[in-house]
Structure formats: structure tokens, C-alpha cells
Amino acid sequence: MNQDVADRYHSLVKVVECLFGSEQRLMEDYGFPGRQLHLEQHARVLRALHCVHAAVLQGATDHGRHIGSCTLMGWLRLHEDTVDAAFSVWVDCCESGMINAH
């Protein structure tokens, strides 16, 4: 059971890393001026996920369950509603020709 939690948590971390990497490439492609702040938020979350991952590997599976099912999901919703929304508006403005970011 503990190994299952550790494996799932590892998979979750990999998915988040991939998602954040994709976002970073898009922000660079679109020349998003809020990129630094956005990437700092990603880095803080990844640091926390990696710290918890170490604890999960040492048997603290309850931490992994809580982070994976509650804390991360809440943070992702807030992140999406704030800085991701700002990036989305930037992309829309670039795509419509209102901004020439390239």
C-alpha cells in the first residue's frame, strides 16, 4: 500500500513538472511580461512537492495523500483563476493582433 502511494505521488509530480514546463515554453513563445512571477510560483510549488516526495518515500504517505488530493488541487484552482487567467488574456491579445509580443 505505501509503495502504491509513493508511485502515484511520483507520477503526480512528473505530471505537474510536465505541465509547468509546457506553460513555461508558451510564456516564452508569447513574450509574456508576467513570466518571472508566474515561474517563481511554479518553482515554489515544485520545491514543496519534492520535499513532500522525500517524506512519502520515507513512509509519510498521509502527507502525500493530503497534498495530492487537497492542497495541490486547491492551489491549482487559485493559480488558474489568477496568473493563468492573466496569461490567457495576454495570449488572446497576441492572437487577435492587439499586442505584438514577438
Side-chain angles (χ1 to χ4, degrees):
M1 181 75 160
N2 284 353
Q3 187 57 46
D4 186 47
V5 172
D7 291 344
R8 288 176 186 232
Y9 191 87
H10 178 77
S11 295
L12 174 68
V13 171
K14 291 299 176 193
V15 167
V16 172
E17 288 172 341
C18 184
L19 171 69
F20 287 176
S22 295
E23 260 190 33
Q24 179 174 350
R25 286 186 293 280
L26 283 172
M27 286 187 280
E28 290 167 359
D29 290 348
Y30 281 96
F32 181 51
R35 178 176 59 233
Q36 186 63 35
L37 172 64
H38 200 130
L39 295 178
E40 287 171 5
Q41 287 187 10
H42 288 181
R44 282 192 291 276
V45 168
L46 287 172
R47 184 180 65 228
L49 289 174
H50 289 138
C51 287
V52 171
H53 194 195
V56 168
L57 291 173
Q58 294 177 359
T61 56
D62 287 345
H63 292 314
R65 284 187 184 104
H66 182 73
I67 293 295
S69 65
C70 297
T71 306
L72 180 61
M73 298 314 296
W75 182 87
L76 286 170
R77 281 190 292 274
L78 177 63
H79 185 75
E80 181 180 32
D81 289 345
T82 56
V83 293
D84 281 349
F87 177 51
S88 180
V89 169
W90 179 263
V91 168
D92 289 346
C93 290
C94 290
E95 293 291 324
S96 69
M98 293 173 61
I99 295 173
N100 184 3
H102 303 287

XYZ file of all heavy atoms in Angstrom:
803
model
N 0.819 -1.211 0.000
C 0.000 0.000 0.000
C 0.856 1.266 0.000
O 0.613 2.171 -0.757
C -0.934 -0.029 1.213
C -1.842 1.152 1.290
S -3.169 1.023 0.099
C -4.315 2.130 0.806
N 1.879 1.324 0.873
C 2.732 2.505 0.919
C 3.470 2.723 -0.389
O 3.649 3.857 -0.821
C 3.726 2.413 2.073
C 3.073 2.691 3.415
O 1.914 3.079 3.481
N 3.825 2.493 4.470
N 3.904 1.631 -1.022
C 4.603 1.765 -2.297
C 3.671 2.305 -3.376
O 4.077 3.087 -4.224
C 5.219 0.436 -2.739
C 6.105 0.557 -3.963
C 7.248 1.555 -3.774
O 7.929 1.545 -2.750
N 7.459 2.411 -4.747
N 2.398 1.911 -3.315
C 1.409 2.407 -4.266
C 1.259 3.922 -4.133
O 1.217 4.646 -5.133
C 0.063 1.712 -4.047
C -0.961 2.076 -5.103
O -0.608 2.046 -6.298
O -2.105 2.391 -4.724
N 1.190 4.420 -2.905
C 1.093 5.865 -2.674
C 2.349 6.554 -3.191
O 2.270 7.588 -3.873
C 0.865 6.188 -1.184
C 0.949 7.692 -0.930
C -0.477 5.638 -0.716
N 3.505 5.998 -2.913
C 4.761 6.594 -3.377
C 4.823 6.631 -4.901
O 5.231 7.640 -5.486
C 5.950 5.823 -2.812
N 4.393 5.549 -5.553
C 4.396 5.506 -7.017
C 3.426 6.529 -7.608
O 3.745 7.222 -8.575
C 4.037 4.110 -7.518
C 5.113 3.081 -7.229
O 6.263 3.478 -6.911
O 4.804 1.872 -7.315
N 2.261 6.624 -7.023
C 1.264 7.588 -7.522
C 1.719 9.021 -7.287
O 1.515 9.894 -8.130
C -0.093 7.337 -6.873
C -0.759 6.091 -7.380
C -2.044 5.823 -6.645
N -2.591 4.544 -7.049
C -3.829 4.380 -7.464
N -4.655 5.394 -7.517
N -4.252 3.190 -7.823
N 2.315 9.262 -6.140
C 2.808 10.603 -5.851
C 3.915 10.975 -6.841
O 3.928 12.092 -7.369
C 3.321 10.704 -4.410
C 3.590 12.137 -4.008
C 2.585 12.937 -3.493
C 4.853 12.694 -4.186
C 2.826 14.263 -3.158
C 5.102 14.008 -3.846
C 4.088 14.784 -3.336
O 4.340 16.105 -3.021
N 4.805 10.048 -7.102
C 5.871 10.274 -8.089
C 5.265 10.629 -9.453
O 5.709 11.574 -10.107
C 6.756 9.032 -8.202
C 7.834 9.152 -9.218
N 8.993 9.874 -9.002
C 7.915 8.663 -10.477
C 9.741 9.825 -10.094
N 9.122 9.091 -10.991
N 4.243 9.898 -9.858
C 3.570 10.178 -11.131
C 2.940 11.566 -11.127
O 3.010 12.295 -12.124
C 2.492 9.128 -11.417
O 3.077 7.868 -11.606
N 2.329 11.936 -10.011
C 1.729 13.267 -9.895
C 2.779 14.351 -10.061
O 2.579 15.321 -10.807
C 1.040 13.409 -8.535
C 0.496 14.797 -8.200
C -0.676 15.153 -9.097
C 0.096 14.860 -6.737
N 3.909 14.190 -9.407
C 4.983 15.182 -9.515
C 5.455 15.294 -10.966
O 5.657 16.401 -11.479
C 6.155 14.838 -8.568
C 7.366 15.723 -8.839
C 5.719 14.967 -7.111
N 5.602 14.183 -11.647
C 6.045 14.210 -13.046
C 5.033 14.935 -13.938
O 5.409 15.695 -14.843
C 6.285 12.788 -13.571
C 7.486 12.130 -12.931
C 8.724 12.928 -13.239
C 9.941 12.384 -12.549
N 11.056 13.309 -12.594
N 3.741 14.717 -13.698
C 2.705 15.393 -14.482
C 2.760 16.902 -14.250
O 2.682 17.687 -15.201
C 1.303 14.832 -14.141
C 0.196 15.724 -14.683
C 1.149 13.422 -14.682
N 2.902 17.307 -12.999
C 2.975 18.738 -12.679
C 4.221 19.353 -13.312
O 4.160 20.450 -13.888
C 2.930 18.973 -11.152
C 3.201 20.429 -10.807
C 1.577 18.531 -10.592
N 5.354 18.671 -13.244
C 6.575 19.173 -13.880
C 6.369 19.363 -15.382
O 6.787 20.376 -15.947
C 7.731 18.212 -13.631
C 8.241 18.207 -12.220
C 9.267 17.113 -11.953
O 9.350 16.135 -12.727
O 9.977 17.237 -10.939
N 5.727 18.417 -16.012
C 5.467 18.492 -17.455
C 4.530 19.655 -17.782
O 4.769 20.424 -18.713
C 4.892 17.167 -17.935
S 4.625 17.089 -19.712
N 3.472 19.792 -16.994
C 2.520 20.881 -17.187
C 3.206 22.234 -17.047
O 3.048 23.116 -17.903
C 1.382 20.761 -16.167
C 0.407 21.926 -16.086
C -0.449 22.000 -17.333
C -0.471 21.787 -14.847
N 3.988 22.400 -15.990
C 4.682 23.663 -15.777
C 5.705 23.928 -16.877
O 5.884 25.066 -17.310
C 5.360 23.685 -14.410
C 4.419 23.822 -13.238
C 4.915 23.774 -11.953
C 3.050 23.989 -13.395
C 4.079 23.912 -10.858
C 2.196 24.121 -12.312
C 2.718 24.078 -11.032
N 6.375 22.897 -17.355
C 7.329 23.067 -18.454
C 6.649 23.530 -19.725
O 7.153 24.416 -20.423
N 5.499 22.954 -20.019
C 4.730 23.362 -21.204
C 4.291 24.814 -21.084
O 4.387 25.587 -22.045
C 3.498 22.474 -21.385
O 3.876 21.161 -21.657
N 3.809 25.193 -19.899
C 3.406 26.583 -19.673
C 4.583 27.529 -19.845
O 4.444 28.605 -20.427
C 2.834 26.754 -18.261
C 1.350 26.760 -18.212
C 0.831 27.179 -16.840
O 1.443 28.013 -16.138
O -0.216 26.642 -16.486
N 5.743 27.139 -19.335
C 6.916 27.992 -19.450
C 7.266 28.230 -20.914
O 7.547 29.359 -21.314
C 8.109 27.378 -18.721
C 9.357 28.228 -18.827
C 10.510 27.709 -17.989
O 10.356 26.820 -17.170
N 11.683 28.259 -18.217
N 7.246 27.180 -21.709
C 7.556 27.337 -23.138
C 6.560 28.261 -23.818
O 6.939 29.108 -24.634
C 7.608 25.972 -23.813
C 8.872 25.182 -23.453
C 9.009 23.890 -24.231
N 7.992 22.906 -23.897
C 8.007 22.106 -22.824
N 9.000 22.200 -21.958
N 7.046 21.236 -22.619
N 5.280 28.126 -23.482
C 4.266 29.006 -24.075
C 4.483 30.461 -23.658
O 4.362 31.366 -24.487
C 2.864 28.559 -23.668
C 2.314 27.349 -24.394
C 1.005 26.888 -23.752
C 2.095 27.655 -25.865
N 4.791 30.680 -22.382
C 5.025 32.051 -21.929
C 6.224 32.660 -22.640
O 6.206 33.847 -22.984
C 5.217 32.080 -20.409
C 3.925 31.887 -19.649
S 4.116 32.110 -17.869
C 4.808 30.523 -17.413
N 7.248 31.869 -22.868
C 8.415 32.364 -23.604
C 8.046 32.652 -25.056
O 8.424 33.687 -25.601
C 9.552 31.351 -23.518
C 10.151 31.268 -22.123
C 11.059 30.063 -21.908
O 11.238 29.249 -22.842
O 11.585 29.933 -20.788
N 7.297 31.751 -25.672
C 6.879 31.938 -27.065
C 6.065 33.215 -27.252
O 6.184 33.887 -28.276
C 6.060 30.743 -27.555
C 6.878 29.476 -27.735
O 8.130 29.547 -27.702
O 6.258 28.395 -27.887
N 5.220 33.526 -26.269
C 4.353 34.700 -26.363
C 4.942 35.943 -25.715
O 4.310 36.989 -25.692
C 2.979 34.399 -25.761
C 2.088 33.611 -26.681
C 1.999 32.229 -26.588
C 1.335 34.253 -27.667
C 1.182 31.503 -27.443
C 0.521 33.547 -28.524
C 0.448 32.167 -28.404
O -0.359 31.460 -29.261
N 6.156 35.841 -25.182
C 6.792 37.003 -24.565
C 5.974 37.576 -23.412
O 5.876 38.793 -23.259
N 5.415 36.716 -22.585
C 4.533 37.147 -21.501
C 5.316 37.965 -20.468
O 6.271 37.474 -19.879
C 3.895 35.927 -20.846
C 2.940 36.226 -19.733
C 1.905 37.140 -19.916
C 3.069 35.595 -18.511
C 1.020 37.410 -18.884
C 2.183 35.855 -17.475
C 1.159 36.766 -17.664
N 4.915 39.213 -20.235
C 5.674 40.067 -19.311
C 5.578 39.632 -17.847
O 6.450 39.979 -17.053
C 5.052 41.455 -19.512
C 3.716 41.213 -20.101
C 3.807 39.931 -20.874
N 4.574 38.849 -17.471
C 4.437 38.365 -16.106
C 5.088 37.012 -15.885
O 4.852 36.355 -14.867
N 5.919 36.622 -16.829
C 6.523 35.283 -16.812
C 7.339 35.009 -15.546
O 7.219 33.941 -14.950
C 7.382 35.104 -18.058
C 8.092 33.781 -18.147
C 8.849 33.610 -19.456
N 9.837 34.654 -19.648
C 9.919 35.409 -20.742
N 9.101 35.219 -21.753
N 10.836 36.331 -20.858
N 8.146 35.948 -15.105
C 9.024 35.710 -13.956
C 8.227 35.370 -12.702
O 8.520 34.388 -12.013
C 9.936 36.915 -13.705
C 10.962 36.674 -12.631
C 11.943 35.566 -12.988
O 12.325 35.383 -14.136
N 12.350 34.803 -11.996
N 7.221 36.158 -12.387
C 6.388 35.900 -11.218
C 5.692 34.547 -11.343
O 5.636 33.767 -10.385
C 5.344 37.002 -11.051
C 4.288 36.771 -9.974
C 4.924 36.733 -8.594
C 3.217 37.846 -10.044
N 5.191 34.265 -12.516
C 4.492 33.007 -12.781
C 5.433 31.819 -12.557
O 5.078 30.846 -11.877
C 3.987 33.035 -14.226
C 2.896 32.080 -14.528
N 1.744 32.469 -15.159
C 2.758 30.749 -14.319
C 0.954 31.415 -15.317
N 1.555 30.362 -14.824
N 6.632 31.911 -13.092
C 7.603 30.826 -12.944
C 8.077 30.670 -11.501
O 8.357 29.556 -11.052
C 8.789 31.042 -13.875
C 8.464 30.982 -15.368
C 9.714 31.266 -16.202
C 7.842 29.657 -15.744
N 8.148 31.782 -10.769
C 8.508 31.699 -9.354
C 7.448 30.915 -8.576
O 7.777 30.132 -7.688
C 8.695 33.096 -8.768
C 9.965 33.763 -9.238
C 10.054 35.230 -8.849
O 9.158 35.739 -8.126
O 11.021 35.885 -9.272
N 6.183 31.123 -8.914
C 5.122 30.356 -8.259
C 5.276 28.871 -8.574
O 5.147 28.029 -7.679
C 3.743 30.851 -8.690
C 3.382 32.183 -8.096
C 1.953 32.572 -8.394
O 1.154 31.791 -8.894
N 1.613 33.813 -8.073
N 5.538 28.556 -9.834
C 5.750 27.153 -10.208
C 6.912 26.556 -9.412
O 6.817 25.435 -8.907
C 6.059 27.030 -11.700
C 4.897 27.267 -12.589
N 5.006 27.171 -13.959
C 3.605 27.583 -12.352
C 3.836 27.421 -14.518
N 2.962 27.682 -13.549
N 8.000 27.303 -9.303
C 9.195 26.797 -8.612
C 8.903 26.527 -7.136
O 9.351 25.508 -6.587
C 10.347 27.793 -8.759
N 8.145 27.415 -6.496
C 7.819 27.203 -5.085
C 6.965 25.960 -4.893
O 7.185 25.172 -3.961
C 7.116 28.432 -4.508
C 8.076 29.572 -4.191
C 7.431 30.670 -3.370
N 6.436 31.437 -4.100
C 6.698 32.461 -4.903
N 7.945 32.832 -5.099
N 5.735 33.111 -5.509
N 6.010 25.755 -5.783
C 5.155 24.566 -5.679
C 5.963 23.301 -5.947
O 5.830 22.304 -5.223
C 3.941 24.671 -6.627
C 3.216 23.347 -6.754
C 2.986 25.745 -6.124
N 6.809 23.333 -6.946
C 7.634 22.157 -7.231
C 8.572 21.842 -6.075
O 8.768 20.675 -5.731
C 8.420 22.346 -8.527
C 7.591 22.256 -9.804
C 8.439 22.646 -11.011
C 6.999 20.869 -9.971
N 9.140 22.872 -5.470
C 10.009 22.647 -4.311
C 9.233 21.955 -3.195
O 9.710 20.990 -2.592
C 10.610 23.962 -3.820
C 11.605 23.755 -2.671
C 12.217 25.044 -2.170
N 11.170 25.861 -1.570
C 10.983 27.150 -1.834
N 11.766 27.781 -2.684
N 10.026 27.832 -1.251
N 8.028 22.416 -2.926
C 7.197 21.803 -1.884
C 6.841 20.366 -2.245
O 6.911 19.465 -1.399
C 5.929 22.627 -1.664
N 6.476 20.138 -3.510
C 6.142 18.777 -3.937
C 7.334 17.843 -3.780
O 7.185 16.696 -3.350
C 5.664 18.770 -5.390
C 4.286 19.372 -5.662
C 4.024 19.425 -7.167
C 3.191 18.606 -4.939
N 8.523 18.320 -4.105
C 9.720 17.485 -3.977
C 10.049 17.204 -2.513
O 10.465 16.082 -2.183
C 10.907 18.125 -4.701
C 10.765 18.074 -6.183
N 11.093 19.132 -6.988
C 10.299 17.111 -7.022
C 10.852 18.819 -8.252
N 10.370 17.601 -8.290
N 9.861 18.183 -1.644
C 10.095 17.949 -0.214
C 9.133 16.895 0.328
O 9.532 15.994 1.075
C 9.940 19.249 0.574
S 11.301 20.400 0.334
N 7.876 17.006 -0.050
C 6.884 16.017 0.400
C 7.199 14.654 -0.203
O 7.045 13.626 0.457
C 5.451 16.477 0.068
C 4.442 15.364 0.331
C 5.094 17.717 0.876
N 7.682 14.644 -1.437
C 8.031 13.378 -2.089
C 9.080 12.635 -1.259
O 8.969 11.413 -1.061
C 8.527 13.635 -3.503
C 8.603 12.410 -4.350
N 9.307 12.394 -5.519
C 8.072 11.170 -4.217
C 9.207 11.187 -6.064
N 8.458 10.433 -5.288
N 10.061 13.360 -0.771
C 11.079 12.727 0.068
C 10.451 12.132 1.320
O 10.795 11.012 1.732
C 12.157 13.747 0.433
N 9.511 12.840 1.912
C 8.826 12.332 3.108
C 7.979 11.107 2.775
O 7.939 10.137 3.540
C 7.958 13.430 3.721
N 7.319 11.134 1.635
C 6.488 9.994 1.209
C 7.367 8.759 1.027
O 7.003 7.655 1.451
C 5.711 10.325 -0.084
C 5.090 9.072 -0.697
C 4.630 11.367 0.195
N 8.527 8.933 0.428
C 9.433 7.808 0.226
C 9.939 7.230 1.545
O 10.326 6.066 1.601
C 10.614 8.234 -0.658
C 10.251 8.518 -2.116
C 11.449 9.098 -2.859
C 9.731 7.270 -2.807
N 9.885 8.045 2.595
C 10.293 7.574 3.921
C 9.101 7.057 4.733
O 9.246 6.762 5.908
C 11.008 8.689 4.678
C 12.323 9.061 4.043
C 13.006 10.228 4.742
O 12.494 10.789 5.703
N 14.174 10.590 4.251
N 7.927 6.968 4.082
C 6.768 6.374 4.740
C 5.666 7.317 5.156
O 4.636 6.877 5.668
N 5.829 8.601 4.961
C 4.798 9.576 5.344
C 3.736 9.673 4.249
O 3.527 10.722 3.652
C 5.426 10.931 5.623
N 3.051 8.560 4.027
C 2.094 8.500 2.917
C 0.883 9.396 3.129
O 0.284 9.858 2.154
C 1.646 7.060 2.666
O 1.101 6.517 3.872
C 2.807 6.202 2.190
N 0.517 9.672 4.384
C -0.617 10.569 4.628
C -0.341 11.960 4.077
O -1.244 12.614 3.559
C -0.931 10.651 6.121
C -1.600 9.388 6.639
O -2.078 8.577 5.804
O -1.630 9.208 7.875
N 0.916 12.403 4.172
C 1.282 13.712 3.607
C 1.070 13.708 2.090
O 0.532 14.662 1.535
C 2.741 14.063 3.917
C 3.021 14.324 5.352
N 2.242 15.117 6.154
C 4.022 13.882 6.138
C 2.745 15.163 7.361
N 3.823 14.411 7.394
N 1.516 12.661 1.450
C 1.353 12.556 0.003
C -0.101 12.537 -0.409
O -0.489 13.186 -1.381
N -0.908 11.794 0.326
C -2.345 11.737 0.025
C -2.984 13.113 0.172
O -3.773 13.534 -0.663
C -3.038 10.746 0.956
C -2.805 9.319 0.601
C -3.674 8.415 1.480
N -3.403 7.023 1.210
C -2.696 6.235 2.002
N -2.187 6.710 3.124
N -2.496 4.976 1.682
N -2.643 13.811 1.254
C -3.242 15.121 1.504
C -2.809 16.141 0.445
O -3.639 16.876 -0.095
C -2.879 15.626 2.902
C -3.500 16.940 3.217
N -4.840 17.083 3.495
C -2.975 18.184 3.274
C -5.116 18.358 3.705
N -3.991 19.043 3.579
N -1.523 16.178 0.164
C -1.025 17.123 -0.841
C -1.651 16.820 -2.200
O -2.116 17.722 -2.895
C 0.520 17.066 -0.947
C 1.162 17.582 0.339
C 1.037 17.836 -2.165
C 0.916 19.044 0.641
N -1.678 15.542 -2.581
C -2.187 15.160 -3.891
C -3.683 15.338 -4.063
O -4.155 15.649 -5.152
N -4.435 15.157 -2.978
C -5.890 15.199 -3.130
C -6.506 16.536 -2.734
O -7.581 16.869 -3.215
C -6.541 14.085 -2.303
O -6.317 14.302 -0.919
N -5.842 17.295 -1.896
C -6.452 18.544 -1.402
C -5.617 19.784 -1.718
O -6.040 20.656 -2.463
C -6.663 18.461 0.103
S -7.790 17.182 0.627
N -4.439 19.835 -1.138
C -3.634 21.052 -1.190
C -3.279 21.447 -2.623
O -3.483 22.598 -3.024
C -2.352 20.878 -0.355
O -2.729 20.476 0.962
C -1.554 22.162 -0.302
N -2.749 20.524 -3.392
C -2.340 20.845 -4.758
C -3.536 21.246 -5.609
O -3.459 22.211 -6.371
C -1.601 19.665 -5.403
C -1.136 19.896 -6.833
C -0.139 21.064 -6.918
C -0.516 18.624 -7.397
N -4.630 20.545 -5.476
C -5.808 20.864 -6.295
C -6.327 22.262 -5.983
O -6.686 23.016 -6.886
C -6.899 19.814 -6.096
C -6.478 18.409 -6.524
S -5.640 18.309 -8.131
C -6.913 18.845 -9.221
N -6.355 22.628 -4.705
C -6.786 23.972 -4.329
C -5.842 25.031 -4.880
O -6.276 26.068 -5.388
N -4.538 24.769 -4.783
C -3.570 25.725 -5.303
C -3.715 25.860 -6.820
O -3.683 26.980 -7.352
C -2.134 25.305 -4.955
C -1.152 26.318 -5.462
C -0.734 27.443 -4.825
C -0.514 26.319 -6.744
N 0.134 28.143 -5.632
C 0.281 27.478 -6.819
C -0.542 25.452 -7.838
C 1.055 27.787 -7.932
C 0.231 25.768 -8.957
C 1.018 26.924 -8.998
N -3.890 24.743 -7.510
C -4.027 24.801 -8.968
C -5.261 25.602 -9.390
O -5.205 26.368 -10.360
C -4.079 23.396 -9.566
C -2.752 22.642 -9.599
C -2.979 21.186 -9.983
C -1.768 23.307 -10.556
N -6.367 25.458 -8.667
C -7.569 26.245 -8.985
C -7.301 27.737 -8.810
O -7.661 28.551 -9.652
C -8.750 25.799 -8.125
C -9.410 24.523 -8.616
C -10.731 24.244 -7.895
N -10.531 23.907 -6.489
C -10.269 22.676 -6.034
N -10.180 21.669 -6.878
N -10.113 22.468 -4.747
N -6.656 28.096 -7.700
C -6.337 29.502 -7.457
C -5.370 30.025 -8.512
O -5.558 31.122 -9.053
C -5.730 29.665 -6.061
C -5.281 31.075 -5.682
C -6.470 32.024 -5.656
C -4.573 31.053 -4.334
N -4.365 29.256 -8.824
C -3.373 29.629 -9.833
C -4.035 29.841 -11.192
O -3.763 30.817 -11.888
C -2.310 28.527 -9.901
C -1.166 28.809 -10.806
N -0.156 29.689 -10.482
C -0.849 28.306 -12.023
C 0.728 29.724 -11.473
N 0.329 28.896 -12.411
N -4.935 28.937 -11.538
C -5.649 29.039 -12.817
C -6.512 30.297 -12.863
O -6.571 30.984 -13.896
C -6.510 27.804 -13.027
C -7.275 27.812 -14.332
C -8.122 26.576 -14.532
O -8.613 26.011 -13.526
O -8.298 26.182 -15.691
N -7.166 30.612 -11.755
C -8.059 31.771 -11.709
C -7.318 33.101 -11.667
O -7.932 34.149 -11.897
C -8.976 31.688 -10.479
C -10.020 30.596 -10.598
O -10.247 30.074 -11.714
O -10.614 30.252 -9.547
N -6.034 33.087 -11.376
C -5.288 34.336 -11.238
C -4.231 34.461 -12.328
O -4.493 35.019 -13.386
C -4.682 34.455 -9.819
O -3.868 33.310 -9.554
C -5.773 34.568 -8.762
N -3.045 33.918 -12.096
C -1.949 34.147 -13.043
C -2.151 33.430 -14.372
O -1.750 33.952 -15.416
C -0.568 33.821 -12.424
C -0.238 34.795 -11.312
C -0.494 32.408 -11.931
N -2.769 32.248 -14.367
C -3.055 31.598 -15.644
C -4.091 32.399 -16.429
O -4.022 32.487 -17.659
C -3.548 30.159 -15.445
C -2.425 29.171 -15.171
O -1.244 29.529 -15.326
O -2.740 28.029 -14.802
N -5.054 33.001 -15.719
C -6.054 33.830 -16.394
C -5.399 35.050 -17.044
O -5.742 35.423 -18.169
C -7.140 34.257 -15.410
N -4.443 35.659 -16.344
C -3.731 36.808 -16.910
C -2.955 36.394 -18.154
O -2.950 37.114 -19.163
C -2.789 37.408 -15.864
N -2.320 35.238 -18.094
C -1.588 34.746 -19.257
C -2.547 34.472 -20.414
O -2.253 34.785 -21.574
C -0.784 33.492 -18.907
C -0.058 32.886 -20.069
C 0.755 33.658 -20.884
C -0.194 31.544 -20.359
C 1.429 33.105 -21.973
C 0.466 30.980 -21.432
C 1.280 31.757 -22.248
N -3.698 33.927 -20.117
C -4.694 33.636 -21.147
C -5.148 34.918 -21.855
O -5.290 34.938 -23.084
C -5.895 32.925 -20.525
O -6.867 32.647 -21.494
N -5.354 35.976 -21.097
C -5.733 37.259 -21.697
C -4.608 37.756 -22.601
O -4.844 38.242 -23.713
C -6.065 38.303 -20.603
C -6.192 39.702 -21.194
C -7.343 37.906 -19.869
N -3.365 37.619 -22.141
C -2.205 38.029 -22.940
C -2.174 37.273 -24.273
O -1.992 37.871 -25.335
C -0.923 37.802 -22.157
C 0.321 38.182 -22.917
C 1.136 37.349 -23.614
C 0.865 39.491 -23.061
N 2.163 38.054 -24.174
C 2.016 39.374 -23.865
C 0.497 40.749 -22.593
C 2.805 40.474 -24.198
C 1.281 41.828 -22.928
C 2.416 41.696 -23.719
N -2.366 35.950 -24.195
C -2.360 35.131 -25.414
C -3.486 35.570 -26.350
O -3.269 35.726 -27.558
C -2.485 33.627 -25.075
C -2.763 32.794 -26.316
C -1.226 33.141 -24.363
N -4.669 35.792 -25.805
C -5.797 36.241 -26.627
C -5.476 37.556 -27.324
O -5.789 37.727 -28.512
C -7.061 36.395 -25.789
C -7.652 35.075 -25.335
O -7.258 34.012 -25.881
O -8.520 35.096 -24.442
N -4.850 38.476 -26.602
C -4.489 39.768 -27.192
C -3.423 39.604 -28.278
O -3.477 40.265 -29.314
C -4.009 40.742 -26.116
S -5.324 41.309 -25.018
N -2.485 38.713 -28.040
C -1.458 38.433 -29.055
C -2.090 37.806 -30.292
O -1.790 38.208 -31.419
C -0.376 37.508 -28.496
S 0.698 38.264 -27.263
N -2.948 36.832 -30.072
C -3.572 36.117 -31.194
C -4.486 37.034 -32.012
O -4.616 36.864 -33.220
C -4.381 34.922 -30.672
C -3.541 33.824 -30.051
C -2.692 33.067 -31.067
O -3.163 32.870 -32.199
O -1.572 32.685 -30.713
N -5.113 37.998 -31.353
C -6.033 38.899 -32.061
C -5.281 40.054 -32.728
O -5.886 40.846 -33.447
C -7.080 39.463 -31.098
O -6.470 40.365 -30.186
N -3.986 40.177 -32.471
C -3.194 41.246 -33.063
C -3.180 42.528 -32.250
O -2.596 43.520 -32.675
N -3.822 42.520 -31.088
C -3.834 43.714 -30.238
C -2.443 43.989 -29.654
O -2.115 45.136 -29.350
C -4.848 43.561 -29.110
C -6.281 43.530 -29.588
S -7.460 43.154 -28.254
C -7.180 44.505 -27.150
N -1.669 42.930 -29.485
C -0.313 43.041 -28.946
C 0.624 42.285 -29.887
O 0.318 41.172 -30.299
C -0.217 42.413 -27.536
C -1.068 43.186 -26.550
C 1.225 42.346 -27.071
C -1.162 42.533 -25.183
N 1.761 42.885 -30.182
C 2.779 42.203 -30.954
C 3.931 41.900 -30.015
O 4.792 42.738 -29.788
C 3.253 43.051 -32.145
C 4.248 42.307 -33.002
O 4.566 41.147 -32.758
N 4.748 42.991 -34.017
N 3.910 40.703 -29.444
C 4.894 40.350 -28.418
C 6.156 39.735 -28.993
O 7.081 39.452 -28.256
C 4.258 39.386 -27.420
N 6.214 39.536 -30.274
C 7.365 38.816 -30.850
C 8.391 39.764 -31.355
O 8.440 40.714 -31.820
C 6.921 37.883 -31.965
C 5.893 36.893 -31.473
N 6.205 35.841 -30.655
C 4.563 36.838 -31.665
C 5.126 35.151 -30.386
N 4.098 35.737 -30.977
